[in-house]
Amino acid sequence: MAIKLLQGVHVPHRKNTAECVPVRMPAPETVRIPMSMHIGAPAKPVVKPGDEVKVGQLIAEAGGFVSSPIYSSVSGKVKKFEDILMFNGSYCPAAVIESDGEQAVYEELKAPQVESFQDFIEAVKNSGVVGLGGAGFPTAVKLNTDPSKVDYICVNGAECEPYITADTRTMLDDSQLLVDGIMLLKKYLQPEKVYIGIEDNKPQCILKLKELCKDIEGVEVSALPALYPQGGEKVLIHNTTGRIVPEGKLPIDVGCIVINTTTTVAIARYIQTGMPLVEKYVTVDGSAVKSPKNVIAPIGTAVKDVIEFAGGLKCEAKKMIFGGLMMGISFPDENAPVVKNTNAILCLDEKDATPPPVTACIKCGRCIAHCPLNLMPANIDTAYQLNRPEELKALKVNICMECGCCAFACPAKRPLVQVNKLAKAMLNKYNAEQKAAAEKAKAKEEAEKKEANTNE
């Protein structure tokens, strides 16, 4: 299938840890497991301070339809529940568990019986798996759709961000589990085809999965150009299936489901063993890191403990980032915990952490040329600075995926993606005000009609 690639940028790969087999760290003295590690309602605790827990034991049940259960990543005692500062700057209640160091597995764990589509969806829900590529959307909700609507499943192995190699190691080290997970998706969602999209800077992954899938009908490994943001949901769908997700629509509206490779492996592992999601592959890298490596860390482990286990820092980290350089979030507190969708901890020295000076826009159009969604970031910047939300609406800022291609490509080093985020907030406020005004006007009109009828 000849497909025209969407725009993007060639970011430096810096895949320093691609050959580093993940090392499992021992349980830390204490973990702090947040009740909200997913998009949707926070989970509801089912344990209390003083309770003894084991690895894989349920500590919080899903708090709604769009939610996810949470399990203990260590064995030990629940010390307390407290509000903790998350990497995104919000506060969230968390279970503080003191580890006994034994990592005893919960004895009631067992593989679920999966014999139907509903059994499969229930198993995915009970696994505690969410989008592990960074999104954090509960996977069971995404997969709980009418199978007749699913034409394609796109397994996302692009891992297009600099530094991160957690998915790369998953594809190499757990490749058979990945194939097992794909077979489960094929069996219960019955797509016409499954595409495994992998950037061509990961030749080992491509070769290994092509070998494992060569005799599986309806599964194709797609070697994609290493062009960021290849792993973006809409970009991956277009570059594998040729379909375009319209504004305001979801992938399923064009017959597609996108699922991360590590997410797929976690589903297969749970269905085979009954062990829910309790640990994560995390890439520890950056210019301030002494010995970059991949670490398998219990969920809830403090960032400082992960960094120390990885070998520590060679200089002061002027900036720490959860995720990649392009879409990751900078966080100020080294006590922030590893959560379900943490795939990297990047520590940058002063040189890499210092932003370049911003100069005036030179109207070169590079931000437009490189935007994968054909937006006009420079125009959005102007509309935002002039406080014109109606123009922001016309410029479609609401569909921006915040990939950062515009800011990366800008020779004036303008913070275009940051402005896009602020512009979206401005537009949301404007839309809310317009809606409130319309409702008020309607209520007033109805009240006047009622009064007129009464007077008659």
Side-chain angles (χ1 to χ4, degrees):
M1 184 185 295
I3 297 172
K4 180 182 181 296
L5 294 174
L6 296 176
Q7 294 98 308
V9 292
H10 291 283
V11 296
H13 296 159
R14 300 180 185 173
K15 304 290 188 178
N16 308 316
T17 57
E19 302 297 326
C20 299
V21 176
V23 182
R24 177 172 276 105
M25 66 179 292
E29 293 182 4
T30 302
V31 293
R32 299 187 301 166
I33 304 179
M35 295 296 99
S36 185
M37 296 186 282
H38 49 264
I39 293 172
K44 298 177 180 178
V46 296
V47 294
K48 60 185 184 301
D51 286 352
E52 298 283 346
V53 295
K54 294 182 178 179
V55 177
Q57 182 175 341
L58 183 72
I59 61 172
E61 61 188 10
F65 176 70
V66 182
S67 187
S68 182
I70 293 169
Y71 300 86
S72 179
S73 59
V74 298
S75 58
K77 181 180 288 187
V78 179
K79 184 179 179 182
K80 59 181 176 179
F81 281 84
E82 66 178 11
D83 288 341
I84 64 170
L85 180 64
M86 297 289 285
F87 61 89
N88 60 4
S90 66
Y91 282 88
C92 173
V96 180
I97 303 175
E98 289 184 337
S99 171
D100 58 18
E102 296 180 6
Q103 288 301 81
V105 175
Y106 187 47
E107 55 275 358
E108 294 186 26
L109 288 185
K110 60 180 181 180
Q113 277 195 320
V114 179
E115 298 175 351
S116 67
F117 174 75
Q118 285 306 322
D119 288 344
F120 175 64
I121 296 300
E122 189 66 18
V124 175
K125 177 183 176 181
N126 292 336
S127 71
V129 173
V130 300
L132 302 181
F137 190 81
T139 305
V141 179
K142 176 187 285 190
L143 299 182
N144 191 9
T145 188
D146 181 355
S148 67
K149 295 180 179 179
V150 182
D151 298 328
Y152 301 113
I153 293 177
C154 302
V155 180
N156 191 348
E159 199 165 51
C160 54
E161 284 263 16
Y163 286 116
I164 308 176
T165 62
D167 285 349
T168 298
R169 292 314 313 179
T170 296
M171 287 186 278
L172 292 174
D173 304 332
D174 296 321
S175 48
Q176 186 56 56
L177 268 178
L178 175 56
V179 174
D180 293 344
I182 289 169
M183 297 305 292
L184 287 167
L185 294 171
K186 272 177 58 65
K187 180 177 180 180
Y188 293 108
L189 290 166
Q190 301 175 8
E192 292 177 16
K193 198 159 192 176
V194 176
Y195 289 100
I196 308 173
I198 308 173
E199 282 194 328
D200 58 15
N201 61 351
K202 306 171 188 62
Q204 289 178 292
C205 298
I206 293 169
L207 288 172
K208 189 162 190 177
L209 287 168
K210 277 189 173 181
E211 178 63 26
L212 287 173
C213 297
K214 65 181 180 182
D215 297 324
I216 303 176
E217 185 178 352
V219 177
E220 179 181 321
V221 178
S222 297
L224 304 171
L227 183 70
Y228 177 87
Q230 192 66 261
E233 194 171 60
K234 292 181 180 180
V235 176
L236 186 70
I237 288 171
H238 181 264
N239 290 346
T240 52
T241 73
R243 296 187 177 183
I244 295 175
V245 181
E247 178 185 352
K249 298 294 184 179
L250 298 171
I252 193 61
D253 294 319
V254 294
C256 298
I257 287 177
V258 178
I259 186 167
N260 173 262
T261 50
T262 302
T263 305
T264 307
V265 166
I267 292 170
R269 180 178 287 115
Y270 175 74
I271 289 177
Q272 290 181 14
T273 67
M275 178 58 74
L277 183 63
V278 295
E279 61 185 18
K280 271 306 302 291
Y281 276 24
V282 180
T283 298
V284 183
D285 204 346
S287 50
V289 174
K290 187 183 299 181
S291 179
K293 58 173 58 72
N294 286 305
V295 174
I296 303 176
I299 288 172
T301 305
V303 166
K304 64 180 181 181
D305 292 335
V306 179
I307 294 172
E308 184 180 344
F309 174 76
L313 303 176
K314 60 185 178 183
C315 63
E316 181 183 359
K318 291 294 184 179
K319 180 175 284 189
M320 293 187 291
I321 298 173
F322 263 129
L325 288 181
M326 299 296 288
M327 294 186 72
I329 297 178
S330 175
F331 62 98
D333 186 2
E334 63 180 6
N335 291 305
V338 169
V339 296
K340 289 182 179 182
N341 56 345
T342 302
N343 53 9
I345 297 168
L346 305 183
C347 302
L348 306 180
D349 62 18
E350 185 169 8
K351 179 184 176 182
D352 284 351
T354 304
V358 177
T359 58
C361 175
I362 61 172
K363 311 297 182 185
C364 65
R366 289 187 190 177
C367 56
I368 300 170
H370 290 282
C371 176
L373 298 180
N374 295 310
L375 299 180
M376 303 173 73
N379 299 52
I380 291 170
D381 186 11
T382 300
Y384 173 76
Q385 302 300 340
L386 294 175
N387 193 23
R388 294 175 178 171
E390 61 282 349
E391 287 188 24
L392 294 175
K393 189 172 186 177
L395 289 166
K396 306 292 186 183
V397 69
N398 56 305
I399 69 171
C400 171
M401 69 170 77
E402 301 175 11
C403 65
C405 286
C406 51
F408 182 86
C410 179
K413 307 304 179 186
R414 300 188 64 77
L416 296 172
V417 67
Q418 291 89 336
V419 170
N420 281 4
K421 292 181 181 183
L422 294 171
K424 287 166 110 175
M426 177 184 286
L427 180 58
N428 289 338
K429 182 182 178 183
Y430 171 76
N431 288 337
E433 289 172 350
Q434 292 293 103
K435 182 179 178 182
E439 289 174 350
K440 185 177 180 180
K442 184 179 179 181
K444 183 180 179 181
E445 182 182 349
E446 290 176 350
E448 289 174 349
K449 284 182 179 180
K450 185 176 181 181
E451 184 178 352
N453 292 336
T454 302
N455 293 335
E456 289 177 1

